Amino acid sequence: MTDMDERLEMTAADSWQRYRRLMRWMTLAALGATLATIAGLWWAQGPLPWLFLVFTAGGIFFSVVLAAALMGLVFLSAASGHDEQIQDFSEDDDDQRQ
């Protein structure tokens, strides 16, 4: 194994740490997007009902965080080697069809 391979190899703990860091940044990004959208709505429409603002903010924030969490889990699975541990049963099915 070369020095470059050793630096590129990530352990599961490193992958989880990277995932947590990604989620912290994306939570901040979601908060920024939420505040920007609410400010834009306030500027364009004027004062809005507080319930409308609460539900809009919640929908924007949780949509961005959920999307980040799911994409982050895809990257975590690939980086930590979990994808390589899966046995592909469809190969057996392909052999039987021929």
Side-chain angles (χ1 to χ4, degrees):
M1 186 180 276
T2 66
D3 186 42
M4 181 64 128
D5 291 336
E6 290 174 2
R7 283 185 284 170
L8 292 177
E9 185 175 313
M10 293 181 73
T11 64
D14 294 334
S15 297
W16 277 107
Q17 183 180 9
R18 184 175 153 203
Y19 176 73
R20 283 190 220 80
R21 187 173 58 242
L22 169 83
M23 288 307 298
R24 280 192 295 269
W25 281 110
M26 288 308 296
T27 301
L28 287 174
L31 186 60
T34 301
L35 293 175
T37 303
I38 294 299
L41 284 171
W42 192 278
W43 177 77
Q45 298 294 323
L48 296 167
W50 67 272
L51 197 57
F52 174 82
L53 294 175
V54 168
F55 286 126
T56 301
I60 294 167
F61 180 80
F62 288 115
S63 293
V64 173
V65 169
L66 179 63
L70 293 175
M71 275 312 277
L73 287 172
V74 168
F75 294 135
L76 172 75
S77 177
S80 64
H82 285 92
D83 292 345
E84 296 166 2
Q85 297 174 2
I86 304 300
Q87 181 179 357
D88 187 7
F89 291 107
S90 66
E91 292 175 356
D92 295 337
D93 294 340
D94 293 340
D95 292 339
Q96 291 175 0
R97 289 183 190 156
Q98 295 178 355

